Amino acid sequence: RNGEAIERRAYRQLQWRVALSWFIAVLVMAVSMGWLKVGSESATNQTLLLLSLLNMVYCGRQFYVNAWKQLTHCSANMDTLVALGSGTAFVYSTAELLIMTLAQGRGDEATVEKLGMNLYFESAAMILTLITIGKLLEAISKGRTTDALKSLIRMSPKEATLIVDGAEKQVPIDEVKAGDNLAFRPGKS
């Protein structure tokens, strides 16, 4: 029962992470596409950086933790790919934003305009969101499979029909041993 409570808590936390990650990703997309105005281009880019960082730190933290654990064991898994993909998009975009800010300080508007098309904060946010949704769907599927297995176990017979010297005898299922002859009737378990 304690294990089930832990699983339910982990499932609720995953649901919360999916909801928050989806909300943040939609905000990032709305700001990135210009549907939601937050001020100047600089303020827009900083908002994208902060929202993506929030998504990575809070909603995607587990991917980075698991990827680091895999790295320390010289191994890789799906979390490694997710962390690498979203992390690379975020770091690249942050570096571009820094270069844009420096260029803007110098009055180099051509560089600012050119680099403004190379920001991928929405990619970093969406990668984490979509994979987290996949994790939730996987958890739902596992839960249903577990429920089905428990249901099958509850349906298992409590007694068996043992054949001893040609006669049938009902015995508890726990008393059946390898090599015993059992009788099976159609329609019965």
Side-chain angles (χ1 to χ4, degrees), residues 1 4 8 13 21 44-45 47 49 56 58 78 80 95 101 131 135 148-149 153 155 160 166 168-169 174 176 178:
R1 293 222 172 235
E4 289 177 12
R8 277 194 305 275
Q13 288 173 347
S21 184
T44 298
N45 290 335
T47 301
L49 181 137
M56 292 171 68
Y58 185 75
M78 181 69 171
T80 308
T101 303
I131 300 299
K135 294 266 187 188
L149 288 172
I153 290 170
M155 290 173 43
E168 293 183 1
K169 176 181 172 186
D174 297 341
V176 175

Side-chain angles (χ1 to χ4, degrees), residues 162 169-178 180:
L162 188 64
K169 176 181 172 186
Q170 293 296 114
V171 297
I173 199 76
D174 297 341
E175 292 181 16
V176 175
K177 299 181 292 284
D180 284 348

Side-chain angles (χ1 to χ4, degrees), residues 84-121:
L84 189 60
S86 62
T88 300
F90 181 81
V91 168
Y92 179 83
S93 297
T94 302
E96 291 285 318
L97 186 56
L98 178 62
I99 294 169
M100 284 173 57
T101 303
L102 294 173
Q104 194 170 27
R106 290 190 315 264
D108 185 0
E109 292 302 319
T111 300
V112 172
E113 190 172 323
K114 177 182 160 196
L115 295 180
M117 301 303 291
N118 295 332
L119 299 178
Y120 301 103
F121 291 116

Side-chain angles (χ1 to χ4, degrees), residues 155-166:
M155 290 173 43
S156 67
K158 306 297 180 240
E159 291 186 330
T161 305
L162 188 64
I163 301 175
V164 180
D165 298 327

